[in-house]
Amino acid sequence: MWFRRASTGRLAAVSAATGLVLALTAVAAAGPWESGRRTAERARAEALDRDPGRAPDAAHRLAPYVLEPLGAPAEEDQEAAGRSGGRRGAATIPVPTRQGLTDALGPLLEDPDLGPDSSAAVIDATTGELLYGARESVRTTPASTVKIATAAAVLEVLGPQYRIPTTVVAGAKPGRIVLVGGGDPTLTARGRGNGDDESAPASLRTLARNTARALKGAGAAGTGGNGGPGGAPKVTLAYDTSRFTGPSLHPIGVNDNIARVTALMADQGRVDPETTGHAPRVADPAASAARTFADLLREEGVEVDGEPRPGRAPVGGEGRLAEVRSQPLSTLVEHMLLHSDNDVAEALARHTALASGRPGSFEGAGDAVEAALRGAGVDLDGAVIADGSGLDRADDVSAGFLASVLALAADPGRPGLRPVLTGLPVAGFSGTLRNRFGDDEEKAAGRASQAAGLVRAKTGTLTGVNTLAGTVVDADGRLLAFAFMTRGTTDPVGAQAALDRLASALANCGCRLAA
């Protein structure tokens, strides 16, 4: 039984709890879904304890329906629903009307905090129909909401189960080994190593341990050369970053928001590996990771001669000594969206390029993301994808485009795209929406707004730019995809609050007035 919103008298706590059930059920209505940040939705405390900017730490698991899909038709009606091409639940849940949405959203779009350049799109996630638009085809700067496009594209071309390898191979000369960067932005040197546990990020320490074992087991034959003190293997170390090409420095320049984009890095190139979020980065993440790897080899009893040097692995991929792999792509996507991780976003955009035969560069990545979404049936509406993270102001997309990508991810025929939805932050509970959706008085009292748990959305913020795109369950239980975009704002806090009110309005109305 669905709890319809009353205009007065509802406790915020009831709203939040009910919202979580509705949000989870809405995702289930779109079909089986991958992984999912369920922990953040079970308890606010667990969401607050997460370390933004850290590599993902939740296991990837396939999951069945969480609850029966929203408004699922009775058994005798399902065959008819299938013949009509409708999704489960479409026969019984009312659809908002354009007039109803206009009445609910129109006045809010006039808020001066949104600046002079705002746009909106609302799409029915069940049918893909545009229900409401206000300058929805006008392109503007998306900021970090472009990560939604990056997420959908990489899942479309590689699938949710793909894991990124980092390998060590024998070099072309005896006594030389090569650390080959595969483009894993979550590779870490912290901790004791994880074996091949896909529930944790790939470990550089594990890679060193397995490499040392391989060298010792082979007696360093063909790789170990002369041997070190006490018969320990002795090697020289090279590192190969050729998987990614083109400029490594993002167009915004040196910035604590992102490291140089390279196929080899550990702990996202942070000067202090224990830091999270925005933090200083090393000048050369690949060289830093290689030096760390050399030190870890020495700890494992391997003598490394001199400093690591840039090099190339032998052609053909023969002589692999050890390999570690990232968590599944579904988990990386969810982490990227939840924490707005720029390093992960740029790496995944490049993997989209490589999988489609393009160069692993900024240009190749942008072209590949556009091509992947076009091939999936999304109307690009003239969209320009200049990077994977949204830090580049050359990104230029419309609200209609972003909402269409979200609707695509809800398509039950594309279950591999479901992490685009399950990775979105939950209003008032997780990620970049943890402290939004509620006025200061509500937050001080520990109460969530009535939209808490119902809105899941990716935020976007640059100077003068504020955007919000995601999904929401309306008062009748209909799952809607939306995008609200602004440019030319002068008060970011006021703009964010205005965007939150727009999303809350969708959550709080059935919007079924006559057209």
Side-chain angles (χ1 to χ4, degrees), residues 17 70 233 402 507:
L70 286 173
L402 289 175

Side-chain angles (χ1 to χ4, degrees), residues 36-344:
R37 291 280 177 175
R38 302 181 188 89
T39 307
E41 290 149 289
R42 290 193 189 110
R44 175 185 292 267
E46 290 181 359
L48 292 174
D49 286 340
R50 293 187 182 276
D51 287 337
R54 286 246 173 144
D57 53 9
H60 167 86
R61 294 289 183 269
L62 295 176
Y65 286 113
V66 177
L67 293 173
E68 186 64 15
L70 286 173
E75 184 174 348
E76 61 271 18
D77 295 333
Q78 291 183 8
E79 183 180 351
R83 287 198 303 268
S84 67
R87 299 180 186 175
R88 298 182 72 186
T92 58
I93 305 175
V95 181
T97 65
R98 179 175 180 82
Q99 185 59 56
L101 290 170
T102 299
D103 290 349
L105 301 178
L108 296 176
L109 283 169
E110 299 299 320
D111 192 321
D113 282 336
L114 292 176
D117 185 6
S118 61
S119 57
V122 179
I123 290 179
D124 182 8
T126 300
T127 64
E129 177 187 359
L130 177 69
L131 301 178
Y132 174 81
R135 304 176 74 243
E136 71 276 9
S137 295
V138 176
R139 297 189 304 277
T140 187
T141 307
S144 279
T145 52
V146 86
K147 290 183 176 77
I148 292 169
T150 302
V154 72
L155 289 168
E156 178 71 13
V157 300
L158 283 172
Q161 301 285 3
Y162 179 74
R163 298 170 69 189
I164 303 168
T166 303
T167 59
V168 177
V169 302
K173 298 179 180 180
R176 179 174 179 173
I177 62 174
V178 184
L179 173 62
V180 183
D184 179 2
T186 62
L187 182 69
T188 181
R190 302 195 319 269
R192 297 182 178 180
N194 67 330
D196 192 38
D197 181 6
E198 68 174 39
S199 70
S203 167
L204 201 61
R205 185 177 296 276
T206 296
L207 186 62
R209 184 178 302 138
N210 292 345
T211 300
R213 185 178 298 122
L215 290 171
K216 294 173 183 177
T223 58
N226 299 323
K234 180 178 180 179
V235 298
T236 59
L237 176 63
Y239 58 95
D240 186 342
T241 62
S242 61
R243 190 155 172 78
F244 291 172
T245 56
S248 62
L249 185 63
H250 192 280
I252 64 170
V254 176
N255 193 289
D256 288 353
N257 286 288
I258 188 171
R260 285 181 175 269
V261 184
T262 175
L264 176 64
M265 66 167 65
D267 299 304
Q268 299 187 331
R270 300 175 187 278
V271 172
D272 178 358
E274 297 300 323
T275 58
T276 61
H278 306 165
R281 312 302 180 98
V282 298
D284 188 342
S288 177
R291 287 192 296 269
T292 298
F293 184 68
D295 290 340
L296 293 171
L297 284 175
R298 294 182 181 108
E299 290 181 15
E300 296 294 334
V302 176
E303 183 180 349
V304 181
D305 186 20
E307 286 291 302
R309 295 177 178 272
R312 295 291 290 268
V315 177
E318 301 293 334
R320 186 176 68 182
L321 298 172
E323 177 182 279
V324 292
R325 294 185 297 163
S326 72
Q327 294 169 277
L329 196 57
S330 57
T331 303
L332 301 190
V333 163
E334 289 185 329
H335 167 84
M336 172 188 71
L337 294 171
L338 186 70
H339 297 302
S340 200
D341 192 310
N342 298 312
D343 298 286
V344 174

